Amino acid sequence: MAERDDRFSQPKAARRRIRLPESKDRFGRFTESFARGMGTPAFLIGMTIFVTFWLGYNSIAPAEAQFDPQNQGFPLLTLVLSLQASYAAPLLLLAQNRQDDRDRVQIEQDRLRAERNLNDTEYLAREVVALRLAMRDMASREFIRAELKSFVDDLDERRERDAK
């Protein structure tokens, strides 16, 4: 009896549900994978085989076994293909819009990167010009030698004057 009381004094363990991470972009990723799948040769070959089988069966099978009679113009096949097209077109457009958005972001990032590169290049060009100007103002070897020689000559003249 005491064991039961202990059991009731603790909360029941919550069932753990496996939750997939919530994503606002899940449908967008689905549309892209759908569009990618519809653009493959495997999809086109599979669709061709499906339609060929459908038409072949409903043309060759006895009239009682046909689920989509040829004499009525294959209304079910038309409905299936129309339904597929009615879903495929908007999904393809959504996938294309997502790609356009990504391209727009990429173009903006490329533009910003190019602008930064241009600014860096202009800065470096100004620095190179400043260095060239500074190099012109720097004393050359010949200038320093000439100055030292004239300084030594001046010192020699002063010694001679002081010696007299």
Side-chain angles (χ1 to χ4, degrees):
M1 196 64 123
E3 290 177 20
R4 287 185 183 172
D5 291 340
D6 289 340
R7 196 175 67 207
F8 289 123
S9 66
Q10 295 178 0
K12 183 178 177 182
R15 291 184 187 174
R16 292 190 178 194
R17 294 182 189 171
I18 298 174
R19 290 188 182 195
L20 298 174
E22 297 273 336
S23 174
K24 296 177 184 177
D25 210 27
R26 190 177 302 166
F27 188 71
R29 286 194 308 269
F30 167 74
T31 61
E32 286 179 341
S33 63
F34 181 83
R36 222 175 281 115
M38 286 197 65
T40 62
F43 174 80
L44 295 174
I45 292 169
M47 195 64 164
T48 302
I49 292 170
F50 171 77
V51 170
T52 303
F53 175 77
W54 186 297
L55 292 173
Y57 178 82
N58 287 300
S59 299
I60 296 171
E64 320 67 62
Q66 294 178 0
F67 56 88
D68 193 17
Q70 178 182 9
N71 60 0
Q72 293 178 0
F74 304 108
L76 278 177
L77 179 62
T78 304
L79 180 65
V80 167
L81 294 177
S82 297
L83 185 64
Q84 181 217 4
S86 70
Y87 277 98
L91 289 174
L92 292 172
L93 287 174
L94 284 172
Q96 184 178 5
N97 288 343
R98 280 176 49 89
Q99 185 61 45
D100 289 344
D101 290 343
R102 273 198 303 278
D103 289 346
R104 211 172 296 117
V105 167
Q106 186 64 40
I107 288 169
E108 179 64 21
Q109 288 175 349
D110 289 347
R111 187 189 66 75
L112 290 172
R113 191 175 302 114
E115 190 176 318
R116 278 194 309 268
N117 288 342
L118 179 64
N119 290 338
D120 290 346
T121 303
E122 287 175 352
Y123 171 77
L124 290 172
R126 285 192 303 272
E127 289 297 313
V128 167
V129 168
L131 286 172
R132 283 185 178 169
L133 290 174
M135 290 297 289
R136 281 190 202 155
D137 292 341
M138 281 183 63
S140 66
R141 238 186 261 176
E142 293 80 25
F143 175 75
I144 293 174
R145 283 185 183 152
E147 288 296 313
L148 284 174
K149 187 172 183 187
S150 92
F151 181 68
V152 169
D153 291 343
D154 286 344
L155 282 177
D156 288 341
E157 285 177 20
R158 281 187 189 168
R159 275 191 205 150
E160 288 175 12
R161 270 188 275 153
D162 289 342
K164 290 184 183 177

